[in-house]
Amino acid sequence: QVRLVESGGGLVQAEDSLRLTCVASGRRASNYDMAWYRQAPGKEREIVASIRFSFRGDIISYADSVKGRFTNSRDSAKHTMYLQMSRLRPKSTAIYYCNVIDPGPVRSIYWGQGTQITVSA
């Protein structure tokens, strides 16, 4: 079992910055794939950024809508993932969720409870 706790959300103005944190506890491993998703009111959950484990080094990807503004990173020693968000837009308003795919011994997917970000114009 992996438990995920997100923090760092809040109410900000357009062009502000925020940093989200996701801390994993329980079964901790260094080879998780981790990701940030978000769900805006009335819309489906969408992926924002991901970190995929690779023996050659993490592979980080972003949704086109956040490229150049968001930076995803993790500290494996602390089992923590971060999402640094800059130049936030009202369209960024959503609940942001941390996601972990634990590859073994049985592949399992875990979600955090989410943290609300509201961006005012």
Side-chain angles (χ1 to χ4, degrees):
Q1 278 286 68
V2 176
R3 181 170 179 260
L4 303 172
V5 178
E6 304 101 331
S7 61
L11 173 62
V12 297
Q13 294 185 330
E15 299 300 313
D16 280 354
S17 298
L18 274 178
R19 188 176 81 157
L20 299 183
T21 299
C22 171
V23 180
S25 60
R27 186 183 120 76
R28 295 180 173 183
S30 61
N31 61 341
Y32 294 152
D33 289 342
M34 302 183 76
W36 291 99
Y37 284 75
R38 66 185 178 188
Q39 187 165 19
K43 295 190 176 181
E44 294 186 354
R45 193 171 296 190
E46 62 176 2
I47 192 165
V48 176
S50 65
I51 298 180
R52 289 191 291 120
F53 173 82
S54 167
F55 287 105
R56 296 184 179 181
D58 287 342
I59 300 170
I60 301 175
S61 301
Y62 299 94
D64 286 344
S65 59
V66 306
K67 282 180 181 176
R69 298 186 298 117
F70 289 13
T71 302
N72 198 18
S73 63
R74 68 173 161 187
D75 184 333
S76 295
K78 296 181 179 179
H79 304 282
T80 300
M81 180 173 64
Y82 307 96
L83 185 66
Q84 179 66 48
M85 303 177 290
S86 62
R87 292 183 283 136
L88 284 163
R89 304 167 178 170
K91 286 185 176 181
S92 305
T93 295
I95 299 175
Y96 285 69
Y97 296 92
C98 179
N99 165 275
V100 158
I101 299 176
D102 182 356
V106 176
R107 186 177 183 272
S108 303
I109 299 174
Y110 300 95
W111 293 92
Q113 82 288 350
T115 185
Q116 175 73 48
I117 293 177
T118 302
V119 184
S120 62

